[in-house]
Amino acid sequence: VVVFLHGFNSSASSWVATATRLQSRLDIVAHVPEMPWWLPYDEQARQLDNAATAIGAPANMVMVGHSNGGIVSRALSTKRPLGGIVTMGSPHGGALLAERLNTV
């Protein structure tokens, strides 16, 4: 299982073509969830953990996240074991704008 997570102010549609192409070429089961990117990282990770549990995702699932999706993937790794995390354009310290989004 490989989960592709979209970034800040984006949607699952940003990963559909890539996930579909990789699934046709590799022995993976791709999932492209729609995440509420405006919620705190930990809440997104909690929702993702619940969704992964609901579909019976294995402990070795791999997360591929762009920007916010990478941060959420790292937060998820504190809640369940993962087979790996690939991040692209994900700030290691989080995104200040995203953290302040709900305080304005």
Side-chain angles (χ1 to χ4, degrees):
V1 172
V2 179
V3 179
F4 296 85
L5 290 181
H6 61 85
F8 182 79
N9 199 21
S10 187
S11 70
S13 65
S14 65
W15 276 116
V16 170
T18 300
T20 302
R21 185 174 61 252
L22 290 174
Q23 184 169 271
S24 72
R25 295 178 181 177
L26 303 170
D27 186 20
I28 65 170
V29 176
H31 291 275
V32 186
E34 187 72 43
M35 295 303 300
W37 55 265
W38 57 89
L39 293 178
Y41 304 128
D42 194 55
E43 175 59 21
Q44 291 180 65
R46 187 190 66 71
Q47 289 184 19
L48 191 57
D49 184 40
N50 290 343
T53 299
I55 66 166
N60 67 343
M61 73 178 179
V62 174
M63 307 301 298
V64 178
H66 170 250
S67 185
N68 186 73
I71 297 169
V72 173
S73 295
R74 288 194 299 262
L76 179 63
S77 73
T78 67
K79 299 181 180 320
R80 70 179 313 138
L82 298 173
I85 300 174
V86 178
T87 64
M88 293 161 279
S90 299
H92 292 293
L96 187 57
L97 176 62
E99 291 172 6
R100 293 184 176 171
L101 187 63
N102 292 324
T103 62
V104 178

